[in-house]
Short mmCIF file of all heavy atoms in Angstrom, two decimals:
data_model
loop_
_atom_site.label_atom_id
_atom_site.label_comp_id
_atom_site.label_asym_id
_atom_site.label_seq_id
_atom_site.Cartn_x
_atom_site.Cartn_y
_atom_site.Cartn_z
N LEU G 70 -27.65 -22.94 10.70
CA LEU G 70 -28.40 -23.45 11.80
C LEU G 70 -27.84 -23.10 13.13
O LEU G 70 -28.36 -23.40 14.17
CB LEU G 70 -28.51 -24.98 11.70
CG LEU G 70 -29.16 -25.45 10.42
CD1 LEU G 70 -29.05 -26.97 10.33
CD2 LEU G 70 -30.64 -25.02 10.32
N GLY G 71 -26.68 -22.39 13.10
CA GLY G 71 -25.99 -22.00 14.35
C GLY G 71 -24.98 -23.03 14.78
O GLY G 71 -25.08 -24.21 14.42
N GLY G 72 -24.03 -22.54 15.53
CA GLY G 72 -22.95 -23.43 16.05
C GLY G 72 -22.11 -24.07 14.99
O GLY G 72 -21.52 -25.12 15.16
N GLY G 73 -22.03 -23.41 13.83
CA GLY G 73 -21.25 -23.91 12.69
C GLY G 73 -21.94 -24.91 11.83
O GLY G 73 -21.35 -25.38 10.86
N LEU G 74 -23.16 -25.27 12.18
CA LEU G 74 -23.90 -26.24 11.45
C LEU G 74 -24.75 -25.59 10.31
O LEU G 74 -25.37 -24.54 10.55
CB LEU G 74 -24.83 -27.04 12.33
CG LEU G 74 -25.62 -28.21 11.73
CD1 LEU G 74 -24.64 -29.35 11.28
CD2 LEU G 74 -26.62 -28.79 12.75
N LYS G 75 -24.77 -26.18 9.14
CA LYS G 75 -25.53 -25.60 8.02
C LYS G 75 -26.33 -26.70 7.31
O LYS G 75 -25.88 -27.85 7.23
CB LYS G 75 -24.60 -24.95 7.00
CG LYS G 75 -23.90 -23.69 7.52
CD LYS G 75 -22.99 -23.07 6.43
CE LYS G 75 -22.31 -21.81 6.93
NZ LYS G 75 -21.44 -21.18 5.90
N ALA G 76 -27.49 -26.30 6.83
CA ALA G 76 -28.28 -27.18 5.95
C ALA G 76 -28.04 -26.70 4.49
O ALA G 76 -28.03 -25.51 4.23
CB ALA G 76 -29.75 -27.10 6.27
N ASN G 77 -27.87 -27.67 3.56
CA ASN G 77 -27.56 -27.37 2.20
C ASN G 77 -28.41 -28.15 1.25
O ASN G 77 -28.78 -29.30 1.58
CB ASN G 77 -26.07 -27.63 1.90
CG ASN G 77 -25.14 -27.05 2.94
OD1 ASN G 77 -24.92 -25.84 3.03
ND2 ASN G 77 -24.58 -27.96 3.77
N PHE G 78 -28.70 -27.64 0.03
CA PHE G 78 -29.42 -28.36 -0.99
C PHE G 78 -28.98 -27.92 -2.36
O PHE G 78 -28.41 -26.83 -2.51
CB PHE G 78 -30.90 -28.24 -0.84
CG PHE G 78 -31.43 -26.95 -1.39
CD1 PHE G 78 -31.82 -26.88 -2.73
CD2 PHE G 78 -31.54 -25.81 -0.65
CE1 PHE G 78 -32.34 -25.68 -3.25
CE2 PHE G 78 -32.04 -24.62 -1.13
CZ PHE G 78 -32.41 -24.57 -2.47
N ARG G 79 -29.22 -28.78 -3.32
CA ARG G 79 -28.88 -28.37 -4.72
C ARG G 79 -29.83 -29.22 -5.69
O ARG G 79 -30.02 -30.39 -5.45
CB ARG G 79 -27.47 -28.66 -5.13
CG ARG G 79 -27.09 -28.24 -6.53
CD ARG G 79 -25.68 -28.61 -6.90
NE ARG G 79 -24.72 -27.77 -6.13
CZ ARG G 79 -23.92 -26.90 -6.64
NH1 ARG G 79 -23.90 -26.71 -7.95
NH2 ARG G 79 -23.06 -26.19 -5.91
N LEU G 80 -30.38 -28.55 -6.66
CA LEU G 80 -31.20 -29.12 -7.73
C LEU G 80 -30.51 -28.63 -9.02
O LEU G 80 -30.37 -27.43 -9.19
CB LEU G 80 -32.64 -28.72 -7.67
CG LEU G 80 -33.46 -29.20 -6.44
CD1 LEU G 80 -34.76 -28.47 -6.44
CD2 LEU G 80 -33.62 -30.69 -6.48
N GLU G 81 -30.18 -29.56 -9.96
CA GLU G 81 -29.51 -29.13 -11.21
C GLU G 81 -29.93 -30.04 -12.37
O GLU G 81 -29.99 -31.25 -12.24
CB GLU G 81 -28.02 -29.17 -11.03
CG GLU G 81 -27.24 -28.63 -12.24
CD GLU G 81 -25.75 -28.63 -11.99
OE1 GLU G 81 -25.31 -27.85 -11.14
OE2 GLU G 81 -25.04 -29.38 -12.67
N THR G 82 -30.23 -29.42 -13.48
CA THR G 82 -30.65 -30.17 -14.67
C THR G 82 -29.93 -29.67 -15.90
O THR G 82 -29.57 -28.49 -15.95
CB THR G 82 -32.20 -30.06 -14.87
OG1 THR G 82 -32.57 -30.85 -16.02
CG2 THR G 82 -32.59 -28.64 -15.08
N ALA G 83 -29.72 -30.57 -16.89
CA ALA G 83 -29.12 -30.16 -18.15
C ALA G 83 -30.20 -29.47 -19.00
O ALA G 83 -31.40 -29.74 -18.84
CB ALA G 83 -28.53 -31.39 -18.84
N ILE G 84 -29.75 -28.64 -19.88
CA ILE G 84 -30.64 -27.98 -20.86
C ILE G 84 -30.04 -28.01 -22.23
O ILE G 84 -28.80 -27.86 -22.37
CB ILE G 84 -30.97 -26.54 -20.43
CG1 ILE G 84 -31.96 -25.89 -21.38
CG2 ILE G 84 -29.71 -25.68 -20.30
CD1 ILE G 84 -32.49 -24.53 -20.89
N ASP G 85 -30.81 -28.27 -23.27
CA ASP G 85 -30.35 -28.26 -24.62
C ASP G 85 -30.63 -26.89 -25.22
O ASP G 85 -31.79 -26.51 -25.45
CB ASP G 85 -31.10 -29.31 -25.41
CG ASP G 85 -30.55 -29.51 -26.85
OD1 ASP G 85 -29.93 -28.51 -27.38
OD2 ASP G 85 -30.69 -30.58 -27.39
N VAL G 86 -29.56 -26.10 -25.37
CA VAL G 86 -29.74 -24.73 -25.88
C VAL G 86 -30.31 -24.68 -27.26
O VAL G 86 -30.99 -23.69 -27.63
CB VAL G 86 -28.33 -23.97 -25.81
CG1 VAL G 86 -28.47 -22.58 -26.40
CG2 VAL G 86 -27.85 -23.92 -24.39
N THR G 87 -30.11 -25.71 -28.05
CA THR G 87 -30.60 -25.71 -29.45
C THR G 87 -32.12 -25.70 -29.54
O THR G 87 -32.70 -25.21 -30.52
CB THR G 87 -29.97 -26.85 -30.24
OG1 THR G 87 -30.57 -28.09 -29.76
CG2 THR G 87 -28.54 -26.87 -30.16
N ASN G 88 -32.79 -26.28 -28.55
CA ASN G 88 -34.28 -26.31 -28.63
C ASN G 88 -34.91 -26.03 -27.33
O ASN G 88 -36.19 -26.08 -27.22
CB ASN G 88 -34.71 -27.72 -29.08
CG ASN G 88 -34.24 -28.86 -28.25
OD1 ASN G 88 -33.91 -28.63 -27.06
ND2 ASN G 88 -34.15 -30.06 -28.81
N GLY G 89 -34.20 -25.72 -26.23
CA GLY G 89 -34.77 -25.34 -24.95
C GLY G 89 -35.24 -26.52 -24.11
O GLY G 89 -35.78 -26.32 -23.03
N ALA G 90 -35.02 -27.73 -24.60
CA ALA G 90 -35.49 -28.93 -23.79
C ALA G 90 -34.65 -29.09 -22.53
O ALA G 90 -33.45 -28.89 -22.55
CB ALA G 90 -35.40 -30.18 -24.68
N SER G 91 -35.34 -29.47 -21.52
CA SER G 91 -34.67 -29.72 -20.21
C SER G 91 -35.33 -30.92 -19.54
O SER G 91 -36.56 -31.03 -19.48
CB SER G 91 -34.81 -28.52 -19.27
OG SER G 91 -34.09 -28.73 -18.09
N ALA G 92 -34.54 -31.89 -19.04
CA ALA G 92 -35.03 -33.08 -18.45
C ALA G 92 -35.29 -32.80 -16.94
O ALA G 92 -35.33 -31.62 -16.49
CB ALA G 92 -34.05 -34.17 -18.62
N ASN G 93 -35.48 -33.89 -16.21
CA ASN G 93 -35.61 -33.75 -14.75
C ASN G 93 -34.27 -33.30 -14.15
O ASN G 93 -33.29 -33.11 -14.86
CB ASN G 93 -36.11 -35.07 -14.13
CG ASN G 93 -37.44 -35.46 -14.68
OD1 ASN G 93 -38.30 -34.66 -14.95
ND2 ASN G 93 -37.65 -36.74 -14.87
N PHE G 94 -34.27 -33.21 -12.84
CA PHE G 94 -33.00 -32.81 -12.16
C PHE G 94 -32.06 -33.96 -12.09
O PHE G 94 -31.81 -34.55 -11.08
CB PHE G 94 -33.29 -32.18 -10.79
CG PHE G 94 -34.04 -30.92 -10.81
CD1 PHE G 94 -35.40 -30.88 -10.48
CD2 PHE G 94 -33.38 -29.77 -11.16
CE1 PHE G 94 -36.10 -29.67 -10.54
CE2 PHE G 94 -34.06 -28.57 -11.23
CZ PHE G 94 -35.42 -28.53 -10.90
N THR G 95 -31.51 -34.32 -13.29
CA THR G 95 -30.68 -35.55 -13.40
C THR G 95 -29.19 -35.27 -13.18
O THR G 95 -28.37 -36.23 -13.16
CB THR G 95 -30.82 -36.11 -14.82
OG1 THR G 95 -30.61 -35.11 -15.82
CG2 THR G 95 -32.23 -36.66 -15.00
N ARG G 96 -28.79 -34.03 -12.95
CA ARG G 96 -27.39 -33.69 -12.63
C ARG G 96 -27.19 -33.62 -11.16
O ARG G 96 -26.09 -33.93 -10.66
CB ARG G 96 -26.95 -32.40 -13.32
CG ARG G 96 -26.87 -32.54 -14.83
CD ARG G 96 -26.32 -31.25 -15.46
NE ARG G 96 -25.03 -30.86 -14.86
CZ ARG G 96 -23.85 -31.30 -15.33
NH1 ARG G 96 -23.82 -32.16 -16.33
NH2 ARG G 96 -22.75 -30.93 -14.74
N ALA G 97 -28.14 -33.18 -10.41
CA ALA G 97 -28.04 -33.08 -8.95
C ALA G 97 -29.38 -32.93 -8.33
O ALA G 97 -30.28 -32.19 -8.86
CB ALA G 97 -27.11 -31.88 -8.55
N SER G 98 -29.55 -33.60 -7.25
CA SER G 98 -30.81 -33.54 -6.47
C SER G 98 -30.49 -34.07 -5.08
O SER G 98 -30.65 -35.22 -4.83
CB SER G 98 -31.94 -34.32 -7.12
OG SER G 98 -33.09 -34.35 -6.29
N TRP G 99 -30.06 -33.16 -4.20
CA TRP G 99 -29.63 -33.69 -2.88
C TRP G 99 -29.84 -32.61 -1.77
O TRP G 99 -30.03 -31.42 -2.05
CB TRP G 99 -28.14 -34.11 -2.90
CG TRP G 99 -27.11 -33.04 -3.36
CD1 TRP G 99 -26.56 -32.99 -4.59
CD2 TRP G 99 -26.57 -32.01 -2.57
NE1 TRP G 99 -25.68 -31.91 -4.66
CE2 TRP G 99 -25.64 -31.31 -3.42
CE3 TRP G 99 -26.70 -31.54 -1.24
CZ2 TRP G 99 -24.90 -30.20 -2.97
CZ3 TRP G 99 -25.98 -30.47 -0.80
CH2 TRP G 99 -25.08 -29.79 -1.67
N VAL G 100 -29.86 -33.13 -0.58
CA VAL G 100 -29.92 -32.28 0.59
C VAL G 100 -29.03 -32.85 1.67
O VAL G 100 -28.75 -34.04 1.71
CB VAL G 100 -31.40 -32.30 1.17
CG1 VAL G 100 -31.87 -33.63 1.59
CG2 VAL G 100 -31.58 -31.26 2.26
N GLY G 101 -28.49 -31.97 2.51
CA GLY G 101 -27.50 -32.43 3.53
C GLY G 101 -27.17 -31.41 4.59
O GLY G 101 -27.72 -30.29 4.61
N LEU G 102 -26.25 -31.81 5.37
CA LEU G 102 -25.75 -31.01 6.51
C LEU G 102 -24.24 -30.88 6.44
O LEU G 102 -23.56 -31.84 6.01
CB LEU G 102 -26.16 -31.64 7.80
CG LEU G 102 -27.64 -31.76 8.14
CD1 LEU G 102 -27.84 -32.54 9.45
CD2 LEU G 102 -28.30 -30.42 8.24
N SER G 103 -23.72 -29.74 6.87
CA SER G 103 -22.21 -29.55 6.90
C SER G 103 -21.87 -28.75 8.12
O SER G 103 -22.65 -28.04 8.73
CB SER G 103 -21.77 -28.82 5.62
OG SER G 103 -22.29 -27.51 5.55
N GLY G 104 -20.64 -28.93 8.54
CA GLY G 104 -20.12 -28.26 9.71
C GLY G 104 -18.62 -28.57 9.89
O GLY G 104 -17.93 -29.03 8.92
N GLY G 105 -18.17 -28.48 11.12
CA GLY G 105 -16.75 -28.81 11.38
C GLY G 105 -16.43 -30.23 11.15
O GLY G 105 -15.23 -30.59 10.97
N PHE G 106 -17.37 -31.09 11.11
CA PHE G 106 -17.11 -32.54 10.84
C PHE G 106 -16.96 -32.86 9.39
O PHE G 106 -16.66 -33.95 8.95
CB PHE G 106 -18.35 -33.31 11.41
CG PHE G 106 -19.61 -32.97 10.77
CD1 PHE G 106 -20.05 -33.65 9.61
CD2 PHE G 106 -20.46 -31.99 11.30
CE1 PHE G 106 -21.29 -33.31 9.03
CE2 PHE G 106 -21.66 -31.67 10.75
CZ PHE G 106 -22.11 -32.32 9.58
N GLY G 107 -17.27 -31.85 8.53
CA GLY G 107 -17.28 -32.08 7.09
C GLY G 107 -18.67 -31.90 6.52
O GLY G 107 -19.36 -30.93 6.93
N GLY G 108 -19.14 -32.78 5.65
CA GLY G 108 -20.46 -32.64 5.06
C GLY G 108 -21.05 -33.98 4.69
O GLY G 108 -20.35 -34.91 4.26
N VAL G 109 -22.36 -34.16 4.91
CA VAL G 109 -23.08 -35.36 4.53
C VAL G 109 -24.21 -34.93 3.66
O VAL G 109 -24.98 -33.99 4.00
CB VAL G 109 -23.62 -36.08 5.76
CG1 VAL G 109 -24.48 -37.30 5.35
CG2 VAL G 109 -22.46 -36.59 6.66
N THR G 110 -24.40 -35.61 2.53
CA THR G 110 -25.47 -35.32 1.64
C THR G 110 -26.22 -36.64 1.26
O THR G 110 -25.60 -37.72 1.28
CB THR G 110 -25.04 -34.64 0.31
OG1 THR G 110 -24.09 -35.48 -0.33
CG2 THR G 110 -24.35 -33.30 0.68
N MET G 111 -27.49 -36.49 0.89
CA MET G 111 -28.29 -37.68 0.47
C MET G 111 -29.03 -37.28 -0.82
O MET G 111 -29.64 -36.21 -0.89
CB MET G 111 -29.23 -38.11 1.55
CG MET G 111 -28.55 -38.69 2.75
SD MET G 111 -29.74 -39.34 4.00
CE MET G 111 -30.36 -37.79 4.61
N GLY G 112 -28.97 -38.20 -1.81
CA GLY G 112 -29.70 -37.93 -3.06
C GLY G 112 -28.84 -38.28 -4.24
O GLY G 112 -27.99 -39.21 -4.23
N LEU G 113 -29.02 -37.52 -5.33
CA LEU G 113 -28.27 -37.68 -6.58
C LEU G 113 -27.16 -36.62 -6.67
O LEU G 113 -27.51 -35.44 -6.63
CB LEU G 113 -29.24 -37.58 -7.75
CG LEU G 113 -28.66 -37.42 -9.14
CD1 LEU G 113 -28.06 -38.73 -9.59
CD2 LEU G 113 -29.68 -36.91 -10.19
N ARG G 114 -25.95 -37.07 -6.84
CA ARG G 114 -24.85 -36.18 -7.05
C ARG G 114 -23.63 -36.95 -7.55
O ARG G 114 -23.69 -38.23 -7.67
CB ARG G 114 -24.50 -35.39 -5.80
CG ARG G 114 -23.97 -36.24 -4.64
CD ARG G 114 -23.40 -35.39 -3.53
NE ARG G 114 -22.31 -34.57 -3.94
CZ ARG G 114 -21.64 -33.73 -3.10
NH1 ARG G 114 -22.04 -33.64 -1.86
NH2 ARG G 114 -20.59 -33.01 -3.57
N ASP G 115 -22.54 -36.25 -7.91
CA ASP G 115 -21.34 -36.93 -8.34
C ASP G 115 -20.83 -37.91 -7.26
O ASP G 115 -20.90 -37.62 -6.08
CB ASP G 115 -20.23 -35.93 -8.59
CG ASP G 115 -20.49 -35.06 -9.80
OD1 ASP G 115 -21.49 -35.32 -10.53
OD2 ASP G 115 -19.76 -34.11 -10.06
N SER G 116 -20.36 -39.07 -7.75
CA SER G 116 -19.72 -39.99 -6.82
C SER G 116 -18.38 -39.42 -6.32
O SER G 116 -17.77 -38.60 -7.02
CB SER G 116 -19.53 -41.35 -7.41
OG SER G 116 -18.45 -41.33 -8.39
N ALA G 117 -17.87 -39.94 -5.24
CA ALA G 117 -16.58 -39.51 -4.76
C ALA G 117 -15.43 -39.86 -5.79
O ALA G 117 -14.50 -39.12 -5.89
CB ALA G 117 -16.25 -40.19 -3.42
N PHE G 118 -15.60 -40.94 -6.59
CA PHE G 118 -14.65 -41.27 -7.62
C PHE G 118 -14.59 -40.23 -8.71
O PHE G 118 -13.53 -39.87 -9.20
CB PHE G 118 -15.03 -42.64 -8.19
CG PHE G 118 -14.12 -43.11 -9.32
CD1 PHE G 118 -12.95 -43.73 -8.99
CD2 PHE G 118 -14.44 -42.83 -10.62
CE1 PHE G 118 -12.07 -44.20 -10.05
CE2 PHE G 118 -13.59 -43.24 -11.65
CZ PHE G 118 -12.46 -43.94 -11.38
N LYS G 119 -15.73 -39.73 -9.06
CA LYS G 119 -15.80 -38.74 -10.21
C LYS G 119 -14.95 -37.50 -9.90
O LYS G 119 -14.34 -36.92 -10.82
CB LYS G 119 -17.22 -38.36 -10.52
CG LYS G 119 -17.35 -37.48 -11.80
CD LYS G 119 -18.83 -37.19 -12.12
CE LYS G 119 -18.94 -36.46 -13.43
NZ LYS G 119 -18.34 -35.15 -13.42
N ASP G 120 -14.96 -37.06 -8.65
CA ASP G 120 -14.12 -35.88 -8.34
C ASP G 120 -12.64 -36.11 -8.67
O ASP G 120 -12.00 -35.27 -9.29
CB ASP G 120 -14.20 -35.60 -6.86
CG ASP G 120 -15.59 -35.03 -6.44
OD1 ASP G 120 -16.40 -34.83 -7.38
OD2 ASP G 120 -15.82 -34.87 -5.24
N ALA G 121 -12.14 -37.28 -8.36
CA ALA G 121 -10.74 -37.63 -8.66
C ALA G 121 -10.52 -37.78 -10.15
O ALA G 121 -9.50 -37.34 -10.70
CB ALA G 121 -10.31 -38.90 -7.89
N PHE G 122 -11.53 -38.41 -10.84
CA PHE G 122 -11.37 -38.61 -12.29
C PHE G 122 -11.35 -37.29 -13.02
O PHE G 122 -10.55 -37.04 -13.87
CB PHE G 122 -12.56 -39.47 -12.74
CG PHE G 122 -12.53 -39.74 -14.23
CD1 PHE G 122 -11.87 -40.88 -14.69
CD2 PHE G 122 -13.17 -38.94 -15.14
CE1 PHE G 122 -11.84 -41.19 -16.04
CE2 PHE G 122 -13.16 -39.20 -16.48
CZ PHE G 122 -12.51 -40.33 -16.94
N ASP G 123 -12.27 -36.38 -12.70
CA ASP G 123 -12.37 -35.08 -13.38
C ASP G 123 -11.06 -34.21 -13.13
O ASP G 123 -10.68 -33.45 -14.01
CB ASP G 123 -13.56 -34.32 -12.86
CG ASP G 123 -14.89 -34.89 -13.38
OD1 ASP G 123 -14.83 -35.71 -14.27
OD2 ASP G 123 -15.93 -34.48 -12.89
N LEU G 124 -10.49 -34.36 -12.00
CA LEU G 124 -9.26 -33.59 -11.70
C LEU G 124 -8.21 -33.79 -12.77
O LEU G 124 -7.49 -32.85 -13.19
CB LEU G 124 -8.71 -34.00 -10.31
CG LEU G 124 -7.43 -33.29 -9.85
CD1 LEU G 124 -7.73 -31.78 -9.62
CD2 LEU G 124 -6.89 -33.92 -8.63
N GLY G 125 -8.06 -35.03 -13.28
CA GLY G 125 -7.06 -35.31 -14.24
C GLY G 125 -7.34 -34.83 -15.66
O GLY G 125 -6.46 -34.87 -16.55
N ASN G 126 -8.51 -34.33 -15.92
CA ASN G 126 -8.91 -33.75 -17.18
C ASN G 126 -9.04 -32.21 -17.14
O ASN G 126 -9.48 -31.62 -18.17
CB ASN G 126 -10.22 -34.37 -17.69
CG ASN G 126 -10.06 -35.76 -18.19
OD1 ASN G 126 -9.02 -36.11 -18.75
ND2 ASN G 126 -11.02 -36.60 -17.91
N THR G 127 -8.66 -31.58 -16.06
CA THR G 127 -8.93 -30.16 -15.89
C THR G 127 -8.33 -29.35 -17.00
O THR G 127 -8.94 -28.39 -17.53
CB THR G 127 -8.27 -29.66 -14.56
OG1 THR G 127 -8.84 -30.45 -13.47
CG2 THR G 127 -8.54 -28.24 -14.27
N TYR G 128 -7.09 -29.68 -17.44
CA TYR G 128 -6.44 -28.95 -18.48
C TYR G 128 -6.32 -29.71 -19.79
O TYR G 128 -5.58 -29.37 -20.72
CB TYR G 128 -5.05 -28.50 -18.01
CG TYR G 128 -5.10 -27.63 -16.79
CD1 TYR G 128 -4.34 -27.93 -15.67
CD2 TYR G 128 -5.94 -26.50 -16.75
CE1 TYR G 128 -4.46 -27.16 -14.52
CE2 TYR G 128 -6.03 -25.73 -15.61
CZ TYR G 128 -5.28 -26.07 -14.50
OH TYR G 128 -5.38 -25.28 -13.40
N ASN G 129 -7.08 -30.82 -19.90
CA ASN G 129 -7.17 -31.55 -21.14
C ASN G 129 -8.37 -31.08 -21.89
O ASN G 129 -9.47 -31.64 -21.81
CB ASN G 129 -7.28 -33.06 -20.83
CG ASN G 129 -7.02 -33.92 -22.07
OD1 ASN G 129 -7.43 -33.63 -23.18
ND2 ASN G 129 -6.36 -35.05 -21.85
N LEU G 130 -8.20 -29.96 -22.57
CA LEU G 130 -9.29 -29.28 -23.25
C LEU G 130 -10.42 -28.96 -22.27
O LEU G 130 -11.62 -29.15 -22.55
CB LEU G 130 -9.82 -30.01 -24.48
CG LEU G 130 -9.19 -29.57 -25.79
CD1 LEU G 130 -9.62 -28.21 -26.25
CD2 LEU G 130 -7.72 -29.69 -25.81
N PHE G 131 -10.03 -28.61 -21.04
CA PHE G 131 -10.97 -28.04 -20.06
C PHE G 131 -12.04 -28.98 -19.61
O PHE G 131 -13.17 -28.59 -19.25
CB PHE G 131 -11.58 -26.76 -20.60
CG PHE G 131 -10.63 -25.86 -21.32
CD1 PHE G 131 -10.75 -25.59 -22.65
CD2 PHE G 131 -9.56 -25.24 -20.60
CE1 PHE G 131 -9.84 -24.77 -23.30
CE2 PHE G 131 -8.62 -24.43 -21.25
CZ PHE G 131 -8.83 -24.21 -22.62
N ASP G 132 -11.72 -30.31 -19.64
CA ASP G 132 -12.72 -31.34 -19.23
C ASP G 132 -14.04 -31.10 -20.00
O ASP G 132 -15.11 -30.99 -19.39
CB ASP G 132 -12.93 -31.33 -17.75
CG ASP G 132 -13.69 -32.56 -17.23
OD1 ASP G 132 -13.78 -33.54 -18.04
OD2 ASP G 132 -14.22 -32.58 -16.13
N SER G 133 -14.01 -31.17 -21.30
CA SER G 133 -15.16 -30.86 -22.11
C SER G 133 -15.44 -32.02 -23.06
O SER G 133 -14.83 -33.13 -22.95
CB SER G 133 -14.89 -29.58 -22.94
OG SER G 133 -13.82 -29.82 -23.93
#
Side-chain angles (χ1 to χ4, degrees):
L70 301 174
L74 185 65
K75 293 182 179 180
N77 312 287
F78 79 90
R79 183 182 292 245
L80 296 169
E81 184 176 296
T82 180
I84 182 171
D85 188 334
V86 176
T87 67
N88 58 22
S91 182
N93 298 324
F94 292 106
T95 53
R96 290 185 56 86
S98 174
W99 56 261
V100 64
L102 299 171
S103 63
F106 61 88
V109 175
T110 59
M111 291 184 289
L113 167 73
R114 64 171 298 180
D115 290 353
S116 74
F118 178 85
K119 187 176 186 296
D120 291 354
F122 182 89
D123 288 348
L124 180 67
N126 286 324
T127 304
Y128 302 126
N129 195 322
L130 265 290
F131 317 114
D132 194 14
S133 67

